[in-house]
């Protein structure tokens, strides 16, 4: 919404700026935003006029110290001023006015869309009043202040968009939409800010009546990679005003997302800013003082009520409310004893299950031997193997009984140590527990059941051959029947 040239005054200012920058480049390294100053100004962050993710919004969806209108959608990480839908308008504005003369705003935003061209654009405002809604990029027309417009759509057909234009207004003029603000622009530059791999950053500095716009084009992740867009000298803006960001879409649409807005107060070198207490108005200061006194009175009242309800707590030192080092060590000792006690109980239950299984196994083997001794002929069952099985099972039972009694003894020792509160009892219990673990592995190896002599087969060879023959005949018959059915089915095709 602008032209490449902005009049004779802008051309002269541009040439003057180029020669000025060449002169300073050959003499000193000075930032472009404050090129006229021999020393950079002091910067102080103003959180009441800023926002940044994460946790950008409160629980009710509002932005602290800001107000949003129209189709703006705040979220935890960003503020979507407009979505990629047609005829959308949205804006965010500070709730309080800015009353310091020099400032610097850093805005991080992203403009993205599916098409090669987008619309309409995004604007950054500093105006005397909040332009909540209107036709100029979603904000009100005839504003009193300055607007930095990021124009996406080429209204005048001169193929000079996307572009950035600075337009000032004293509240008496209407914005020139058909000519893209060509007749009203104070400074401009051609920059493509749509669909960049990284967010685009704009640094807007107003210092000593000079407005400078620096742009980071979003091609690299370097946040300090700024280049000069335009600079306007001898620019007069309102002494107090509101900051705002607005955006709008038309027949074409883009997503206009603002990731952060950071405002800094600038102070000339040698002039320290006033302390915060001096800056607070007297009415607001008295209000905060009254709230603090009321809170202090309520706190003292609650303390008195607590002391009346708990008279025994009065006069006790604060240290007694917390755990000492000795108490913590004793607690850790008892916790270790409890864990050992639980582990031993668990092992005791497992050994009891193993013991029951071994007893059942011995009973089964004994019954089998008794049956074979009555019905089997002599020499069929090796008596030596049976004797070995019985001896091994008896030995396993004896070891398990000894281990079980050892566990009973460990549980008893740990219980006595817990009652005595002695750390030495814990050490003895741990040593005893380790001894039990050393003897447990060979016992578990002996628990494995030995192999029994092979039992006689209940299926003879003749029966097996007859079964296989019947199965083969049935399978061959099924194959013949299926082939006949398939041959009959093919006659119909």
């Amino acid at each position: 919404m602008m032209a490449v040239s902005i009049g004779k005054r802008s051309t002269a200012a541009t040439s003057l700026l180029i020669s000025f920058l060449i002169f300073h480049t050959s003499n000193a390294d000075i930032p472009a935003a404050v090129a006229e100053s021999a020393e950079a100004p002091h910067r102080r962050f103003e959180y009441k006029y800023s926002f940044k993710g994460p946790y950008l919004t409160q629980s009710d969806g509002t932005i602290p110290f800001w107000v949003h209108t129209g189709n703006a959608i705040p979220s935890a990480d960003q503020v979507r001023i407009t979505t990629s839908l047609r005829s959308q308008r949205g804006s965010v504005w500070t709730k309080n006015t800015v009353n310091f003369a020099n400032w610097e705003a850093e805005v991080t935003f992203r403009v993205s869309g599916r098409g090669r061209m987008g619309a309409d654009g995004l604007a950054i405002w500093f105006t005397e009043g909040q332009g909540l809604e209107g036709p100029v990029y979603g904000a009100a027309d005839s504003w009193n202040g300055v607007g930095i417009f990021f124009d996406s759509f080429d209204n005048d057909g001169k193929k000079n968009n996307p572009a950035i234009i600075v337009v000032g207004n004293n509240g008496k003029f209407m914005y020139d939409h058909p000519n893209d603000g060509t007749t009203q622009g104070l400074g401009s530059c051609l920059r493509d800010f749509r669909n960049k791999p990284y967010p685009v950053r704009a640094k807007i500095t107003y210092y000593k009546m000079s407005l400078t716009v620096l742009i980071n084009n979003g091609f690299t992740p370097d946040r300090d990679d700024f280049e000069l867009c335009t600079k306007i000298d001898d620019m007069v803006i309102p002494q107090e005003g509101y900051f705002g960001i607005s955006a709008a879409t038309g027949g074409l649409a883009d997503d206009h997302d603002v990731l952060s807005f950071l405002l800094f107060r600038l102070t000339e070198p040698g002039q320290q800013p006033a302390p915060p207490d001096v800056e607070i108005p007297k009415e607001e200061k008295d209000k905060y003082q009254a709230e603090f006194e009321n809170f202090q009175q309520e706190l003292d009242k609650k303390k008195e009520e607590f002391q009346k309800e708990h008279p025994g707590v009065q006069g006790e030192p604060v240290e007694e409310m917390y755990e000492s080092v000795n108490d913590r060590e004793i607690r850790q000792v008892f916790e270790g004893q409890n864990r050992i006690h639980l582990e031993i109980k668990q092992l005791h239950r497992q050994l009891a299950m193993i013991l029951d299984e071994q007893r059942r196994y011995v009973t089964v083997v004994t019954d089998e031997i008794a049956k074979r001794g009555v019905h089997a002929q002599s020499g069929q069952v090796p008596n030596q193997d049976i004797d070995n099985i019985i001896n091994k099972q008896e030995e396993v039972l004896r070891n398990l009984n000894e281990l079980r009694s050892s566990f009973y003894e460990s549980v008893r020792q740990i219980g006595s140590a817990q009652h005595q509160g002695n750390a030495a009892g814990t050490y003895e219990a741990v040593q005893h527990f380790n001894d039990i673990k050393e003897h447990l592995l060979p016992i578990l190896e002996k628990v494995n059941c030995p192999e029994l002599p092979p039992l006689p087969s209940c299926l003879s060879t003749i029966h097996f051959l007859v079964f296989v023959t019947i199965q083969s005949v049935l399978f061959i018959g099924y194959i013949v029947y299926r082939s006949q059915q398939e041959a009959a089915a093919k006659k119909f095709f």
Side-chain angles (χ1 to χ4, degrees):
M1 298 172 68
M2 74 212 68
V4 177
S5 63
I6 57 174
K8 295 181 179 179
R9 183 181 61 178
S10 179
T11 305
T14 304
S15 61
L16 179 62
L17 178 62
I18 293 174
S19 61
F20 186 80
L21 289 175
I22 293 173
F23 173 78
H24 277 266
T25 304
S26 61
N27 289 277
D29 185 24
I30 300 175
V34 289
E36 294 181 353
S37 177
E39 185 179 354
H42 298 286
R43 300 169 77 241
R44 190 177 77 177
F45 178 64
E46 298 289 341
Y47 71 94
K48 289 187 178 182
Y49 307 100
S50 307
F51 63 82
K52 181 182 179 181
Y55 312 112
L56 190 148
T57 57
Q58 296 177 334
S59 59
D60 57 354
T62 60
I63 308 172
F65 308 109
W66 290 71
V67 59
H68 65 279
T69 61
N71 301 114
I73 304 174
S75 63
D77 298 326
Q78 64 185 14
V79 181
R80 174 154 291 181
I81 307 298
T82 61
T83 57
S84 55
L85 299 174
R86 295 181 179 180
S87 302
Q88 298 286 302
R89 294 178 181 178
S91 64
V92 290
W93 293 85
T94 58
K95 292 182 179 179
N96 302 321
T97 58
V98 176
N99 55 5
F100 37 88
N102 303 314
W103 45 263
E104 183 177 85
E106 295 183 4
V107 187
T108 305
F109 63 93
R110 189 190 299 272
V111 180
S112 56
R114 295 183 179 181
R116 183 179 62 86
M117 299 176 60
D120 282 333
L122 181 139
I124 302 173
W125 302 91
F126 179 77
T127 58
E128 190 176 16
Q130 293 178 336
L132 299 179
E133 291 185 5
V136 184
Y137 300 97
D141 205 344
S142 300
W143 67 93
N144 183 12
V146 62
I148 297 91
F149 302 152
F150 295 81
D151 187 8
S152 304
F153 188 71
D154 189 8
N155 287 316
D156 55 5
K158 295 182 179 180
K159 298 182 180 180
N160 55 355
N161 296 84
I164 304 170
I165 182 171
V166 179
V167 178
N169 198 339
N170 58 1
K172 299 179 181 180
F173 302 99
M174 302 290 290
Y175 182 67
D176 189 5
H177 282 282
N179 296 320
D180 284 343
T182 303
T183 59
Q184 300 170 332
L186 303 178
S188 64
C189 64
L190 294 178
R191 295 291 185 274
D192 186 7
F193 47 83
R194 296 182 67 249
N195 297 325
K196 296 303 177 184
Y198 298 96
V200 179
R201 300 177 184 274
K203 181 182 291 186
I204 305 164
T205 306
Y206 184 76
Y207 184 65
K208 293 182 178 180
M209 298 181 65
S210 178
L211 183 70
T212 306
V213 180
L214 303 176
I215 298 297
N216 184 332
N217 53 21
F219 282 110
T220 63
D222 187 5
R223 298 187 176 184
D224 298 326
D225 185 16
F226 287 98
E227 58 184 6
L228 179 65
C229 173
T230 184
K231 182 179 180 181
I232 301 104
D233 295 325
D234 298 328
M235 185 169 185
V236 179
I237 62 175
Q239 295 181 356
E240 294 185 1
Y242 297 88
F243 279 100
I245 306 173
S246 65
T249 61
L252 301 176
D254 284 334
D255 287 326
H256 298 88
D257 300 323
V258 179
L259 282 68
S260 65
F261 183 93
L262 307 179
L263 185 66
F264 299 88
R265 178 199 297 258
L266 301 182
T267 308
E268 295 183 15
Q271 296 181 3
Q272 297 296 330
D277 293 337
V278 178
E279 298 172 4
I280 300 177
K282 188 176 184 305
E283 296 98 7
E284 189 174 357
K285 187 175 180 180
D286 295 339
K287 177 183 176 182
Y288 292 152
Q289 186 66 26
E291 291 180 357
F292 174 75
E293 292 177 356
N294 292 333
F295 175 78
Q296 192 68 29
Q297 292 176 1
E298 292 179 358
L299 182 62
D300 295 338
K301 183 178 180 181
K302 290 181 179 180
K303 285 183 179 179
E304 294 177 358
E305 293 178 356
F306 179 80
Q307 291 178 359
K308 290 179 180 179
E309 295 177 357
H310 305 83
V313 184
Q314 298 180 7
E316 292 185 359
V318 181
E319 289 77 6
E320 294 183 0
M321 299 173 61
Y322 301 95
E323 186 180 34
S324 63
V325 178
N326 295 329
D327 294 339
R328 183 169 61 253
E329 291 179 354
I330 293 174
R331 178 177 56 80
Q332 292 175 354
V333 168
F334 282 121
E335 289 178 355
Q337 290 179 349
N338 289 330
R339 286 195 293 269
I340 295 173
H341 184 77
L342 294 175
E343 291 291 338
I344 291 178
K345 282 188 174 181
Q346 182 67 20
L347 289 175
H348 178 263
R349 286 193 294 268
Q350 294 178 358
L351 287 175
M353 294 172 60
I354 294 173
L355 185 61
D356 293 338
E357 292 179 359
Q358 292 298 321
R359 286 175 178 173
R360 288 195 297 271
Y361 183 74
V362 170
T363 304
V364 171
V365 171
T366 305
D367 295 340
E368 186 67 23
I369 293 172
K371 292 179 181 178
R372 291 187 181 186
V374 175
H375 300 286
Q377 297 179 358
S378 61
Q380 290 184 354
V381 178
N383 295 330
Q384 186 176 1
D385 293 341
I386 298 299
D387 294 337
N388 291 333
I389 292 173
I390 295 174
N391 294 331
K392 288 182 179 180
Q393 293 301 320
E394 290 178 353
E395 183 179 358
V396 168
L397 289 175
R398 285 196 301 271
N399 292 330
L400 289 175
N401 288 325
E402 293 176 358
L403 188 60
R404 190 173 183 181
S405 61
S406 177
F407 276 119
Y408 277 125
E409 181 66 21
S410 299
V411 172
R412 187 187 63 79
Q413 289 183 2
I414 291 178
S416 62
Q418 287 181 346
H419 289 296
Q420 294 174 2
N422 189 1
T426 305
Y427 177 77
E428 294 177 357
V430 173
Q431 290 296 114
H432 191 68
F433 180 68
N434 293 331
D435 295 339
I436 293 173
K437 288 177 63 177
E438 292 178 358
H439 295 288
L440 183 61
L441 292 177
I443 294 174
L444 292 177
E445 293 177 357
K446 294 180 182 180
V447 170
N448 296 330
C449 299
E451 297 182 358
L452 292 174
L455 297 175
S457 177
C458 60
L459 182 63
S460 62
T461 305
I462 297 174
H463 293 164
F464 177 73
L465 292 176
V466 171
F467 178 75
V468 171
T469 303
I470 294 172
Q471 288 289 101
S472 300
V473 171
L474 292 176
F475 181 74
I476 293 171
Y478 173 74
I479 295 297
V480 173
Y481 172 76
R482 185 175 180 180
S483 61
Q484 291 177 356
Q485 292 293 330
E486 291 178 355
K490 290 179 180 180
K491 293 180 182 179
F492 294 99
F493 296 98

